[in-house]
Amino acid sequence: MTSPAPKLPVSLVANPRLSSWVQFTDGGRVAISPGKVEIGQGIVTALAQIAADELDVDLGRIDMIRASTAMSPNEGVTSGSLSIQQSGRALRHACAEVRQRFLAAASERLGVDAALLDIDDGTISGPGNVRTSYWELAGEVSLDRDANAGAPAKSAAGRALAGHSVPRVDIPDKVFARPRFIHDCPLPGLLHGRVLRPDVSRAKLIALDEVATGAVPGLVAVVRDGSFAGVVADSEAAAEAALKILRKGATWSTGEPLPDEDDLAGFLKSQPVQTTVIDARTATSPKQAMRTLRRQYTRPYIAHASTAPSCAMARWQGDRVHVWTHSQGIYLLRADLAIVLKLPAESIIVEHMEGAGCYGHNAADDVALDAVLLAKAASGRPVRVQWSRHDEMSHAPFGAAMAIEIEADLDADNEIVGWRHAIWSNGHAARPGRAAQPALLAASEIENPYPRMISSNPPAANGGGGDRNSVPLYDDFPAWTITSHRLLTMPVRTSALRTLGAQGNVFAIESLIDEIAALRGEDPIAFRLRHLRDERAKDVIRVAARRAQWKPQKRSGIGYGVGFARYKNTGAYCAAIAEIEGAEDIRVKRLTLAVDVGEAINPDGVVNQIEGGAIQATSWVLKERVRFDRTRITSVSWTDYPILRFSEVPAVDVEIIQRPEIEPVGAGEAAHGPVTAAIANAVYDCLGIRVRDLPITRDRIIAAAELAS
């Protein structure tokens, strides 16, 4: 039987031109240009390691080029913990082929068999002290050609950098306050813009008093296009002053009602939905159910709550526009801008610049269109638009609220014989560039508006959306049905937030697993291990348990809980053990995690991602909840939308199970579900109360206790 023909990685199939990935530049430098972007996850460092390994050059020679639609490969959107999996594999293959082509050229020039040549920091040498280099040969080796599938990458044993921790290449600029973020990089002749938006949800602009702004020194223009309105000025202070006056003279319609925040589950279940059976399994030998546990779990709308609000710059030159943004999908944003502006995509350049950390779809794309629309009034000068905290917390997309019902059929021994999992939620994706209509906020506000896009769910093959991680990994459940009910209305704007539906589904599954283990009087770790067949899954649970010394002697006021998942059921494995203290409020003291991402390119980077995800999940579990009344979002400041403080951050201990022989996957979203479940299970261990509604606040604990009694 012949082996299957080698295939190109998916990102290289979409972007086969080698020169779009790798170029050798003056001064002995190597320019690497991936299509994935840096959003705080350390991707530029890991990709630089991969390139340096395959090319046999020093890491210090690598220049990582910011993604731009003018030159970079189109790798879609940086999301789903796919950067290493997609961009890393493509770059590894591209660099391996580039190395092979240069060795062939060196062999011809030096008259030495390519098999006898070595490469050391870009210098190619052979017997008799003959030598040349990538840079000497650059004029002879054209990379303006498509990759082929025949160039083998190095084996894991042959890599010098992959698998070893190296310092992040983006950190020095950030530590020493050198301009790197879009907020800190003004263009020459820069003007400043601000956009007027209503407090009331979906209100339309009826009237605007533009005359009153004329007294503001430095005001350049007032822009109005339907319900979209804003100002352009020569300073931020002038822009803020003009916006304040404009707001006083604005008249708005009544808007549209919001749901009852205190009955989100009832709202979600009452709306028109699209129902999809995600997965079903029928028992080969059905067993009689002696009892059925029916449990409902909820999570609220969650804000991105980035440290700095969204920001973008735009400059028109004739009928062409250049946009600088921290969008996670520059090509997708360009596609939506082309629709709104009625321009060919080639007339628009979208260039990535780093912004405040966000893993998901925040307002980075929206503010880009704001900047483009305001820059039309700037006579060719660039315009920088920065949203306010109020705008960010009320108008950016949120992570969708979820109601999850699970029914577990148990036999006489409280073993699981049937499992039904149903989700009610808005869709978890309304990113730009994926539909015939734009998903940008201002597109629904202009004179000839586009309808607001109703969020959809990615297909199950891509990990799903609201249904992500809803299919149990516990292989010996004899029967299950997993159903998703996606809402067809969207009064609260939702789109991708880190993990999409995985956090909610893992919370629900792992909470009920713990409850069933308790019914049986069985250790929750032993129960999980008994129901798993995947040895990698078992390993992360065992390693986390060993590292946390599961289970210490129980002490008054202290609780321990475990949670486990494999992100998207195809990505990184992660197990978490939480140690919490239950006094006046729940305090997470320590999180112990084990993770398996296959080959960990930069172990320190993997640990950073797991630590960051664990801390963010702790904040979600204990504090975060978008608040609103029936007309407007009310959580528009840090006071109204509290996040975890530094003084509340738990100690986080991470162990990586390194598997260099297995293709790498991302770590960015692996920790959230397991940590959420571990904390919830630790609360039960501590207080004897099951809290099934997030966040787990004092009020929720009291309500759960009253319900249980």
Side-chain angles (χ1 to χ4, degrees):
M1 182 176 179
T2 59
S3 300
K7 295 181 179 179
L8 288 173
V10 61
S11 281
L12 207 52
V13 171
N15 307 277
R17 188 67 54 165
L18 292 172
S19 58
S20 68
W21 296 88
V22 183
Q23 293 188 21
F24 296 96
T25 57
D26 294 341
R29 310 294 297 172
V30 185
I32 300 296
S33 180
K36 300 292 186 181
V37 302
E38 179 63 55
I39 51 176
Q41 80 280 46
I43 190 64
V44 295
T45 304
L47 293 179
Q49 287 178 259
I50 290 171
D53 258 339
E54 293 302 326
L55 294 172
D56 282 316
V57 299
D58 187 87
L59 188 63
R61 289 190 186 273
I62 302 288
D63 294 319
M64 299 299 293
I65 308 302
R66 293 197 311 257
S68 168
T69 59
M71 58 175 288
S72 302
N74 181 357
E75 291 198 84
V77 64
T78 303
S79 66
S81 296
L82 291 172
S83 293
I84 289 293
Q85 190 169 329
Q86 293 180 348
S87 197
R89 292 178 187 178
L91 188 59
R92 177 171 277 167
H93 186 100
C95 289
E97 182 169 343
V98 168
R99 182 180 187 276
Q100 187 180 71
R101 291 190 178 279
F102 272 85
L103 282 172
S107 173
E108 186 173 341
R109 173 184 278 201
L110 301 175
V112 176
D113 190 319
L116 301 176
L117 295 175
D118 291 317
I119 305 178
D120 181 13
D121 195 18
T123 296
I124 306 171
S125 61
N129 203 30
V130 295
R131 66 184 57 231
T132 183
S133 72
Y134 286 129
W135 298 275
E136 288 181 11
L137 294 169
E140 302 174 19
V141 181
S142 174
L143 298 181
D144 288 325
R145 60 192 305 158
D146 288 354
N148 64 58
K154 292 183 179 181
S155 66
R159 297 169 192 152
L161 289 167
H164 300 279
S165 296
V166 302
R168 288 254 304 255
V169 300
D170 58 318
I171 292 299
D173 285 350
K174 296 170 181 177
V175 170
F176 295 108
R178 292 191 285 262
R180 188 178 183 100
F181 294 105
I182 190 170
H183 307 74
D184 305 321
C185 296
L187 299 170
L190 188 69
L191 297 174
H192 298 272
R194 294 292 187 271
V195 176
L196 176 69
R197 290 203 159 90
D199 287 337
V200 175
S201 177
R202 307 289 294 275
K204 302 295 183 184
L205 185 59
I206 297 172
L208 190 67
D209 181 6
E210 301 178 25
V211 176
T213 60
V216 177
L219 179 66
V220 173
V222 174
V223 176
R224 182 178 178 187
D225 182 354
S227 287
F228 176 84
V231 297
V232 179
D234 62 10
S235 70
E236 291 196 79
E240 292 286 355
L243 183 66
K244 185 176 181 180
I245 293 172
L246 207 62
R247 181 171 283 114
K248 288 181 180 178
T251 304
W252 301 90
S253 70
T254 54
E256 299 179 11
L258 295 178
D260 180 357
E261 187 201 337
D262 294 322
D263 186 22
L264 276 183
F267 161 74
L268 293 170
K269 293 180 178 180
S270 69
Q271 300 302 295
V273 296
Q274 177 189 56
T275 297
T276 305
V277 176
I278 303 302
D279 198 51
R281 170 189 285 184
T282 302
T284 54
S285 301
K287 297 181 179 179
Q288 184 177 3
M290 301 304 294
R291 62 185 300 192
T292 298
L293 299 183
R294 295 178 178 87
R295 301 291 184 259
Q296 176 177 279
Y297 304 86
T298 68
R299 84 160 196 179
Y301 295 101
I302 303 175
H304 291 279
S306 299
T307 304
S310 297
C311 180
M313 296 182 287
R315 179 175 61 208
W316 283 89
Q317 293 177 306
D319 60 354
R320 302 179 66 84
V321 63
H322 195 138
V323 183
W324 293 263
T325 171
H326 52 111
S327 168
Q328 292 176 218
I330 56 173
Y331 281 93
L332 299 178
L333 172 58
R334 184 181 70 165
D336 267 20
L337 292 176
I339 295 172
V340 177
L341 301 173
K342 297 179 171 57
L343 286 176
E346 296 73 25
S347 296
I348 305 167
I349 294 176
V350 180
E351 183 175 340
H352 183 265
M353 294 183 74
E354 288 184 56
C358 167
Y359 296 91
H361 179 194
N362 70 345
D365 299 295
D366 297 321
V367 73
L369 178 55
D370 291 350
V372 167
L373 295 176
L374 293 185
K376 284 185 174 182
S379 303
R381 294 174 68 181
V383 173
R384 173 184 178 274
V385 178
Q386 180 170 303
W387 277 23
S388 67
R389 173 67 51 200
H390 185 286
D391 286 341
E392 190 81 18
M393 301 296 273
S394 54
H395 294 292
F398 299 126
M402 300 176 69
I404 300 160
E405 285 189 357
I406 302 180
E407 295 182 346
D409 297 329
L410 307 179
D411 65 13
D413 296 320
N414 288 324
E415 289 283 14
I416 299 166
V417 297
W419 185 273
R420 291 171 297 283
H421 183 128
I423 307 128
W424 287 264
S425 175
N426 274 112
H428 288 248
R431 288 188 184 273
R434 293 179 170 174
Q437 66 184 53
L440 306 172
L441 180 59
S444 67
E445 298 171 332
I446 56 179
E447 182 68 34
N448 296 306
Y450 294 87
R452 180 182 286 191
M453 180 184 292
I454 302 297
S455 291
S456 59
N457 283 320
N462 293 344
D467 55 299
R468 184 165 292 183
N469 276 101
S470 58
V471 178
L473 280 178
Y474 298 100
D475 313 73
D476 64 352
F477 288 7
W480 63 49
T481 303
I482 316 298
T483 308
S484 172
H485 306 284
R486 180 179 69 88
L487 271 65
L488 300 178
T489 59
M490 195 177 69
V492 177
R493 192 177 181 217
T494 68
S495 191
L497 177 77
R498 201 173 187 183
T499 81
L500 280 65
Q503 186 230 6
N505 286 313
V506 174
F507 162 57
I509 292 169
E510 290 290 289
S511 292
L512 189 51
I513 289 292
D514 236 56
E515 187 172 346
I516 294 169
L519 277 176
R520 288 181 47 79
E522 186 173 357
D523 179 89
I525 285 181
F527 184 86
R528 285 168 170 81
L529 293 174
R530 187 165 59 81
H531 286 281
L532 287 166
R533 297 174 189 163
D534 187 333
E535 289 302 319
R536 292 174 71 187
K538 292 181 178 181
D539 282 349
V540 291
I541 295 174
R542 292 186 186 113
V543 168
R546 173 187 53 77
R547 198 171 183 97
Q549 297 180 334
W550 179 272
K551 186 170 186 179
Q553 184 65 37
K554 188 168 182 178
R555 294 167 294 181
S556 176
I558 302 293
Y560 300 87
V562 61
F564 157 76
R566 183 183 188 188
Y567 183 54
K568 293 192 285 192
N569 285 16
T570 58
Y573 296 82
C574 183
I577 291 176
E579 177 185 345
I580 68 107
E581 188 175 61
E584 293 186 5
D585 291 297
I586 298 300
R587 182 181 181 88
V588 180
K589 297 181 64 179
R590 175 174 290 276
L591 295 169
T592 304
L593 300 101
V595 61
D596 175 353
V597 298
E599 180 191 17
I601 302 296
N602 185 351
D604 185 59
V606 172
V607 170
N608 289 343
Q609 283 294 283
I610 297 299
E611 287 174 340
I615 292 167
Q616 184 177 44
T618 302
S619 185
W620 287 357
V621 172
L622 299 185
K623 291 178 176 288
E624 296 190 39
R625 176 188 182 190
V626 174
R627 310 305 304 268
F628 47 91
D629 57 26
R630 300 310 293 268
T631 63
R632 71 191 71 200
I633 304 295
T634 59
S635 51
V636 295
S637 70
W638 294 126
T639 301
D640 310 313
Y641 190 91
I643 62 175
L644 204 68
R645 295 175 176 269
F646 282 111
S647 60
E648 299 169 310
V649 170
V652 182
D653 183 26
V654 180
E655 181 167 332
I656 298 172
I657 300 175
Q658 179 69 284
R659 299 187 189 276
E661 74 285 358
I662 297 176
E663 289 276 13
V665 294
E669 297 164 285
H672 291 69
V675 166
T676 299
I679 294 172
N681 290 331
V683 168
Y684 175 77
D685 185 55
C686 179
L687 303 177
I689 298 168
R690 294 274 177 199
V691 181
R692 302 185 179 95
D693 300 297
L694 299 176
I696 302 177
T697 61
R698 186 188 312 177
D699 289 344
R700 291 278 169 83
I701 292 170
I702 293 171
E706 290 175 347
L707 188 64
S709 62

